Amino acid sequence: MGASGQSRVLGQELSVGKVSDSGTPPPYLPTDTSRPSPADQIRFIANVERILAEGSFVATYKYALLVALVELAIERGDDSNRELVLPIHDIADKFAELYWRQAAPYEADGVSSRGLVLHQNQGRQASAISRLVKLRNEMQGSRSTLAHARRSADWSPLVGQMRSLLKSMPLWRLQRVGHEDIRFLYEPGPGSDYITLLPGVACHLRERAPLIRRLAETEWLRFVLSLKQNQPVLGRAVGLSEFLFGSSRAALSLKVSKPLRELQSGQCFYCQGTLSATAAVDHFIPWSRYPRDLAHNLVLAHGACNSRKNDLLGGEPYLERWVKFVSDHDSDLLQLGTEAGLLVDRATSVAVAEWSYGHAERVHAEVWLGGKDYGHLSRNWRELLR
Ligand SMILES: [Zn+2]
């Protein structure tokens, strides 16, 4: 590799020395200066999609972490296949910056929340966020800018706290998808105070920065809207989002539960156990993948089966059962859908299933196999749709 690459790594070590309190700078990394291939890029985006769609979220930290990595890759990476060592301290510093803006009392269109700060996690507000809120409150009026905050004596301990938060959770969970660890972004180390972006990752993050940022921010927004603690402040916005993009599940359940129960002989579509009075209407192809209520895409399931399946596709035995179900009950589903005022289109329902399973196979998505079992599709799923 060339001298410019070497000086970049050395420059990084210098900046690491300044900001890190861990003492040891990361070792020099052997690097590959070729660029990642287009196929690598597609695989990379598919994995980003997977962590956003299938990862579990109890807070917004993973979104912030993804945005922080994009920014650091832009600021410090290059367009080669090189690895990039990042001090966790510097990711924490980005974190504090990203949340600074959000730590202000929520206010929109002149409507004030009377000082309420939006929650970013389930349960009690994280202490790192509360500390940011406190610092914001202490800096009154025109002095409450990020630049002033960064210069204050409280900034460094705040970043320290963000670093603990990062290490305790999001950093090691971001790459967990369902029950798998798909390490495609970074590895821990060298040492306990760094992570290393894998070869090509900085380049991918730079190349697809606007898309990744938009995906992360959209999911972040969705999460903040969904938190119960934020509903007193965001009530109207939650209603709007539900109105614009949501499924009216309550109304749906009222209209189709009874006829579906009859078609399924009172059994859960998935485990085939007896359904109790309170069953859940399940979108066979999850709403998150295809947000339209097609009559043929609805089945009735136990609440527990429904929530274990969550936003995943059912495994091949379920696909096989569904294909048989919609073909055996085509005219019943037509009638049920028409009476409930739903869209009825079996051909489209099957086409949507084909698209969704095809996508899941390509990105190697996890599927639900029943109970607490999860796995992957084989190539045979296509046969089931013939
Ligand atoms: Zn069940």
Side-chain angles (χ1 to χ4, degrees):
M1 66 169 256
S4 63
Q6 191 152 3
S7 66
R8 171 183 288 278
V9 174
L10 290 175
Q12 214 170 284
E13 285 180 1
L14 286 176
S15 75
V16 162
K18 264 188 283 181
V19 292
S20 166
D21 52 8
S22 78
T24 37
Y28 168 79
L29 292 165
T31 50
D32 171 2
T33 52
S34 62
R35 285 173 61 88
S37 74
D40 288 339
Q41 290 191 30
I42 290 170
R43 210 169 307 125
F44 182 82
I45 288 296
N47 280 329
V48 171
E49 266 191 273
R50 285 199 67 194
I51 55 177
L52 291 173
E54 297 172 46
S56 66
F57 292 87
V58 295
T60 59
Y61 312 137
K62 290 202 269 191
Y63 310 123
L65 175 55
L66 203 52
V67 174
L69 294 179
V70 167
E71 290 191 358
L72 288 167
I74 290 173
E75 293 163 13
R76 303 184 188 182
D78 61 23
D79 295 322
S80 76
N81 249 329
R82 256 190 279 272
E83 292 180 338
L84 180 64
V85 172
L86 294 174
I88 294 174
H89 172 281
D90 295 7
I91 304 173
D93 193 73
K94 278 275 177 221
F95 234 62
E97 271 201 16
L98 288 168
Y99 280 111
W100 171 257
R101 184 194 168 89
Q102 308 201 356
Y106 179 69
E107 198 178 323
D109 300 332
V111 180
S112 151
S113 62
R114 292 186 295 275
L116 273 168
V117 172
L118 295 176
H119 277 246
Q120 299 283 348
N121 56 294
Q122 291 172 2
R124 275 183 51 214
Q125 183 80 284
S127 62
I129 303 289
S130 301
R131 185 157 188 169
L132 203 54
V133 172
K134 189 164 161 275
L135 174 59
R136 238 198 129 102
N137 290 341
E138 284 164 6
M139 307 184 68
Q140 291 298 319
S142 62
R143 297 191 68 80
S144 68
T145 65
L146 177 63
H148 278 110
R150 292 193 68 99
R151 285 200 291 271
S152 89
D154 292 326
W155 188 259
S156 175
L158 177 74
V159 170
Q161 202 168 358
M162 287 286 178
R163 191 175 70 162
S164 309
L165 173 79
L166 265 171
K167 280 179 146 185
S168 74
M169 222 196 24
L171 210 42
W172 313 124
R173 294 211 182 147
L174 179 67
Q175 303 181 93
R176 275 198 76 78
V177 168
H179 306 80
E180 284 178 84
D181 190 351
I182 52 163
R183 252 180 225 185
F184 72 104
L185 288 169
Y186 51 81
E187 292 275 5
S192 59
D193 289 315
Y194 299 89
I195 60 165
T196 300
L197 297 189
L198 297 170
V201 166
C203 179
H204 291 310
L205 291 171
R206 294 157 60 83
E207 188 107 354
R208 295 284 162 239
L211 175 70
I212 295 170
R213 184 190 277 272
R214 187 173 295 187
L215 285 174
E217 287 181 354
T218 303
E219 293 301 315
W220 188 336
L221 171 75
R222 230 162 63 122
F223 186 87
V224 169
L225 281 171
S226 76
L227 279 177
K228 278 201 185 69
Q229 303 98 306
N230 292 336
Q231 302 215 343
V233 192
L234 296 176
R236 291 217 320 246
V238 173
L240 176 64
S241 150
E242 192 60 17
F243 173 76
L244 290 176
F245 308 116
S247 159
S248 174
R249 278 171 190 274
L252 196 60
S253 162
L254 210 62
K255 287 187 265 187
V256 301
S257 284
K258 197 161 165 270
L260 276 179
R261 190 182 289 264
E262 278 169 32
L263 292 182
Q264 295 176 204
S265 315
Q267 292 178 328
C268 170
F269 180 82
Y270 296 104
C271 73
Q272 306 207 290
T274 307
L275 288 169
S276 63
T278 55
V281 176
D282 177 68
H283 291 89
F284 182 72
I285 301 301
W287 178 264
S288 60
R289 284 164 204 244
Y290 184 75
R292 257 180 110 205
D293 284 322
L294 291 177
H296 287 75
N297 191 40
L298 302 176
V299 296
L300 207 59
H302 287 122
C305 288
N306 179 244
S307 62
R308 279 180 181 148
K309 178 168 172 273
N310 197 16
D311 285 341
L312 300 182
L313 294 177
E316 280 152 274
Y318 294 139
L319 178 60
E320 188 171 13
R321 190 178 297 165
W322 177 77
V323 170
K324 186 167 173 352
F325 181 72
V326 296
S327 123
D328 288 355
H329 298 292
D330 192 22
S331 58
D332 300 313
L333 290 165
L334 173 75
Q335 193 189 341
L336 169 160
T338 311
E339 283 173 7
L342 298 173
L343 301 166
V344 183
D345 186 341
R346 181 177 159 209
T348 299
S349 304
V350 172
V352 168
E354 189 161 11
W355 160 76
S356 194
Y357 277 81
H359 181 263
E361 186 194 348
R362 278 195 302 284
V363 306
H364 205 60
E366 200 164 49
V367 296
W368 181 59
L369 303 176
K372 291 179 179 168
D373 295 331
Y374 298 84
H376 295 282
L377 294 171
S378 74
R379 288 179 179 226
N380 301 330
W381 69 266
R382 278 178 204 281
E383 296 301 318
L384 305 173
L385 283 169
R386 292 243 160 83

